[in-house]
Amino acid sequence: MSVLALSGGVGGAKLVRGLSHQLPAESLSIIANTGDDGIHSGLLVCPDIDTLIYTLSGQSHPEQGWGLAGESWQVFDRLGELGGETWFRLGDKDIATHLFRAEKIQQGLSLTQVTRALCLAHNIAPNILPMCDELFQTKVITQDGRTLDFHEYFVKEQCGPRVESIAFIGNPSLSSDVEAAIMQTGALIICPSNPFLSIDPILQVPGLQSLITERIEKRLVVSPIINGQAIKGPTAKLMQELALPVTNESVAKKYQSIATHMIIDNQDAVDKNLLESMGLKVLVTNTLMQTLADKKQLASDVLGFLGVK
Amino acid sequence: MSVLALSGGVGGAKLVRGLSHQLPAESLSIIANTGDDGIHSGLLVCPDIDTLIYTLSGQSHPEQGWGLAGESWQVFDRLGELGGETWFRLGDKDIATHLFRAEKIQQGLSLTQVTRALCLAHNIAPNILPMCDELFQTKVITQDGRTLDFHEYFVKEQCGPRVESIAFIGNPSLSSDVEAAIMQTGALIICPSNPFLSIDPILQVPGLQSLITERIEKRLVVSPIINGQAIKGPTAKLMQELALPVTNESVAKKYQSIATHMIIDNQDAVDKNLLESMGLKVLVTNTLMQTLADKKQLASDVLGFLGVK
């Protein structure tokens, strides 16, 4: 049985990497968030797709949570000397990815086709699909009344501003490749990515969530919350600003129209009964992925719970 | 008195550098050929503008005739590994120039404004102006019936194909900055660039040549031909393919509707009478610019002949 994962960047990519070790490549498809995509220094940058590609190919930077290991900075050092904008720093090898993408898009390829070409260029077999081919951007509306691009919020302002709400701007449509992936899959896995900033954009693509709930019986979410904290990134701070308790219950409510199964961490075993009373099948296990072994184990738990293997 | 130079890349930039040593910065404007501009790996590249900037700032590569000295190749080495298109190689520092330009164009600046910003970023005082703000591209039609972008002809095919004709594609208009530069100048200098591939595109901008001939009395061309050869590049081969003798007479005919003065090399002193009989004032001197001293001397000869200093 093949599975379909919905993923944002770092946290999601960890589980996807684990899944890639537990499944034959042809049985794993990933729909990647592209709400963070945008033009930086004139280049279309697709952070979550690239994080997935770099993580699956074992080339991601081991600590910083984005970009490539062993990166150099010739271009941006020079750009800084020229007085160009450098708050969204791109490494030299990473720039090669963006130039490759730009070249192919200029030739008329869709983002889906370019992403496939990038996967092949990185020797990645699983099928990484952008959630849509159109630009469909996540905007963060702050409590002081500004509308920020995702990376203005996330990188330039370091998640500092208090968030009022989140909006998605664009006119996306369901791509034939995403539709085919949903039709062919036996189980859905929502990775432990930020529900509001990484998974919601995917689910906002018109027709995507309804097709998933119609066609895929088992739909599992791995909670990104452990013991009232997010492992990484702004999830907990954001939930507080949206007046949501930082709990698995909040995550379950966020996903109540899509999830049938939920995995929570051992530290939150106490939540199991409550979540089951909300109609979810619940598995309690270790969800903190620090090593490759952790990733493989969680992937194994996920697949076992779904009855995939 | 201020002077205005029309220039392509390397050959023209050498004389422009000489002029920059002989004139106060506010007295020198340059209209640069942008017919070679194009999108490479998704980036707008303006080869002649960049060659002028790198040459005037003393950062140009001393031998290869394009790009920067001390360049590194991290991005394109990686792009090659990914299987991207790399025949038009861009160095890392050079890419920073293109990212700087792309960022500013995305912000809504014109090519003229971006070029000014790039000059400031490189501490260049003379006024380098693109011939127009629109893309107005030189196409090379080959005798085997193909239409090539300039760099497909020049770089990818190494000037190999026999040329049938040259065309210019686009809808350029005279920019207010170019118009102002022409109105304010006392003398015109056509640099020893390729008359067909580097100077003709400039003169094809509607209204530009007629404004020059109306407003500027003294209009000097430095011949790019010495002893039946071009110093560099495809000028001689191209003239042969266009069935033109590789002579100063052919150059004079090409420029007969614009030039009033012509400078030829000592090796071609024999041509002086013929060129004078065509109505030109002619100076014979050393036009081969190998050293900075050569550039300064030729610039001094040019300015002296024009009565500028």
Side-chain angles (χ1 to χ4, degrees), chain A residues 133-210:
Chain A
D133 283 322
E134 304 82 2
L135 212 51
F136 183 43
Q137 290 183 303
T138 302
K139 304 282 181 181
V140 176
I141 294 110
T142 66
Q143 293 184 12
D144 57 9
R146 294 177 300 147
T147 299
L148 303 178
D149 288 339
F150 176 75
H151 280 102
E152 288 181 315
Y153 165 74
F154 190 68
V155 179
K156 194 174 188 180
E157 305 209 6
Q158 302 275 307
C159 305
R162 292 180 62 81
V163 175
E164 173 73 28
S165 62
I166 296 158
F168 307 100
I169 306 298
N171 288 300
S173 57
L174 200 60
S175 74
S176 57
D177 287 77
V178 165
E179 188 175 348
I182 294 170
M183 301 292 277
Q184 288 157 17
T185 203
L188 180 82
I189 300 162
I190 300 177
C191 291
S193 299
N194 187 311
F196 306 92
L197 291 172
S198 298
I199 302 298
D200 221 13
I202 302 174
L203 299 177
Q204 294 291 329
V205 174
L208 189 144
Q209 181 168 339
S210 60

Side-chain angles (χ1 to χ4, degrees), chain A residues 27-164:
Chain A
S27 297
L28 177 58
S29 294
I30 305 108
I31 300 179
N33 170 42
T34 58
D36 307 353
D37 291 11
I39 310 288
H40 297 276
S41 301
L43 295 169
L44 173 62
V45 177
C46 303
D48 288 355
I49 287 174
D50 294 343
T51 294
L52 283 162
I53 289 174
Y54 298 159
T55 302
L56 284 179
S57 62
Q59 298 178 80
S60 58
H61 190 284
E63 283 118 41
Q64 72 192 2
W66 55 275
L68 287 151
E71 189 56 284
S72 61
W73 302 92
Q74 298 286 338
V75 175
F76 263 60
D77 284 351
R78 174 75 171 193
L79 188 57
E81 289 169 19
L82 294 180
E85 269 206 0
T86 55
W87 61 265
F88 194 82
R89 273 176 78 76
L90 301 171
D92 298 328
K93 290 184 189 176
D94 193 34
I95 288 173
T97 299
H98 311 315
L99 295 186
F100 181 100
R101 176 180 286 124
E103 175 90 41
K104 301 252 183 280
I105 284 185
Q106 204 199 337
Q107 289 167 0
L109 270 67
S110 69
L111 186 61
T112 300
Q113 293 169 319
V114 178
T115 302
R116 188 81 210 120
L118 273 171
C119 286
L120 292 174
H122 288 81
N123 295 310
I124 294 169
N127 188 25
I128 300 177
L129 297 168
M131 65 191 201
C132 56
D133 283 322
E134 304 82 2
L135 212 51
F136 183 43
Q137 290 183 303
T138 302
K139 304 282 181 181
V140 176
I141 294 110
T142 66
Q143 293 184 12
D144 57 9
R146 294 177 300 147
T147 299
L148 303 178
D149 288 339
F150 176 75
H151 280 102
E152 288 181 315
Y153 165 74
F154 190 68
V155 179
K156 194 174 188 180
E157 305 209 6
Q158 302 275 307
C159 305
R162 292 180 62 81
V163 175
E164 173 73 28

Side-chain angles (χ1 to χ4, degrees), chain B residues 50-98:
Chain B
D50 294 343
T51 293
L52 282 162
I53 290 173
Y54 298 159
T55 302
L56 283 179
S57 63
Q59 297 178 82
S60 57
H61 191 284
E63 284 119 40
Q64 75 192 0
W66 54 274
L68 287 151
E71 188 57 282
S72 61
W73 301 94
Q74 298 285 338
V75 176
F76 263 60
D77 285 351
R78 174 76 172 191
L79 188 56
E81 288 169 20
L82 295 179
E85 269 206 0
T86 56
W87 61 266
F88 194 82
R89 273 176 79 75
L90 300 171
D92 298 328
K93 291 184 187 175
D94 192 34
I95 287 172
T97 299
H98 310 315

Side-chain angles (χ1 to χ4, degrees), chain B residues 47 98 128 223 237 281 297:
Chain B
H98 310 315
I128 300 177
S223 177
K237 175 174 181 290
K281 292 182 173 41
Q297 182 58 51

